[in-house]
Amino acid sequence: TAGITQAPTSQILAAGRSMTLRCTQDMRHNAMYWYRQDLGLGLRLIHYSNTAGTTGKGEVPDGYSVSRANTDDFPLTLASAVPSQTSVYFCASSERAGARVYGYTFGSGTRLTVV
Amino acid sequence: AQSVTQPDIHITVSEGASLELRCNYSYGATPYLFWYVQSPGQGLQLLLKYFSGDTLVQGIKGFEAEFKRSQSSFNLRKPSVHWSDAAEYFCAVAPSYNNNDMRFGAGTRLTVKP
């Protein structure tokens, strides 16, 4: 089934440690996104990428970095985790043709707990 | 920047009853509007979207939504709810020119009573 694969499904991470959340899509979508979901706040955009080789900052980028070496992969890295980064992280992708807006396809999420 | 408000945090309806979930947005122009559904432990799935044209849009799973410019609303409706509709529902808005700036509401959790 075509879609987005996120790994790991869940993780407990010690504060100060680094971690990379993986995201792979097989739909050849140009645009990819990382969101965090927190109770009562909905989803907030961390970083995005319109196409391979380019990235941009979203609403809450501090403490996170991304790379987009190819179309399919969009890893999210926490360089030094803090407890406030405890959240559920969703990767998403969408078609992109010019400035047209499309709906997103989401992965199943990574539940991260920083202790 | 645009914003989305979902006034109801939690709604409970009986199976077979009708459903309306409210969504209000704040944006200077006509935005692109979306409804997503999230089942427990899953990612979000697109239910329907409004870009332009007919203000009543049909989606998957028997859902529909109506765009009302005068009220800045995009409410989601279903005539008869099924137990499998129990989930979290998110309204989202994006500027018509920027796919990267999609903003989500805080969500409405739907419980379906037998």
Side-chain angles (χ1 to χ4, degrees):
Chain A
T1 303
I4 293 181
T5 301
Q6 289 186 240
T9 303
S10 64
Q11 182 75 44
I12 298 174
L13 184 67
R17 300 293 296 268
S18 66
M19 180 176 181
T20 296
L21 281 62
R22 300 185 298 278
C23 174
T24 300
Q25 55 110 352
D26 60 4
M27 298 169 286
R28 307 303 292 174
H29 283 170
N30 288 327
M32 297 187 75
Y33 312 88
W34 274 105
Y35 282 85
R36 59 177 290 172
Q37 183 181 30
D38 302 291
L39 192 64
L41 297 176
L43 283 80
R44 292 179 292 169
L45 181 65
I46 304 171
H47 284 287
Y48 65 90
S49 170
N50 287 333
T51 188
T54 69
T55 63
K57 294 182 180 180
E59 186 181 357
V60 289
D62 293 343
Y64 306 95
S65 64
V66 292
S67 62
R68 187 88 183 276
N70 57 61
T71 297
D72 298 340
D73 301 300
F74 191 43
L76 176 73
T77 298
L78 289 68
S80 180
V82 295
S84 62
Q85 292 178 309
T86 293
S87 187
V88 181
Y89 291 86
F90 286 99
C91 181
S93 71
S94 71
E95 299 176 52
R96 182 172 177 85
R100 183 74 185 274
V101 178
Y102 294 85
Y104 293 176
T105 298
F106 282 84
S108 297
T110 294
R111 181 175 295 276
L112 178 65
T113 302
V114 182
V115 297
Chain B
Q2 70 279 14
S3 64
V4 182
T5 302
Q6 293 181 245
D8 305 304
I9 295 174
H10 184 205
I11 284 182
T12 299
V13 299
S14 298
E15 190 169 16
S18 63
L19 170 70
E20 181 169 28
L21 302 182
R22 296 183 292 164
C23 172
N24 294 98
Y25 68 89
S26 174
Y27 184 59
T30 299
Y32 288 6
L33 296 158
F34 305 82
W35 273 100
Y36 290 84
V37 60
Q38 183 182 33
S39 298
Q42 300 298 313
L44 280 70
Q45 180 185 19
L46 181 65
L47 279 176
L48 49 79
K49 57 186 183 286
Y50 172 77
F51 289 167
S52 64
D54 192 346
T55 57
L56 184 64
V57 294
Q58 303 296 320
I60 62 172
K61 305 185 179 186
F63 285 93
E64 65 178 26
E66 185 172 14
F67 170 60
K68 292 185 177 180
R69 185 192 306 274
S70 62
Q71 299 177 17
S72 297
S73 68
F74 189 57
N75 294 349
L76 182 71
R77 300 195 295 249
K78 187 169 185 178
S80 177
V81 170
H82 188 262
W83 64 267
S84 61
D85 293 324
E88 187 99 16
Y89 291 80
F90 293 92
C91 183
V93 59
S96 57
Y97 56 85
N98 187 351
N99 203 39
N100 299 321
D101 198 11
M102 188 173 297
R103 301 295 177 103
F104 288 80
T108 297
R109 183 162 62 93
L110 174 65
T111 297
V112 181
K113 294 190 302 183

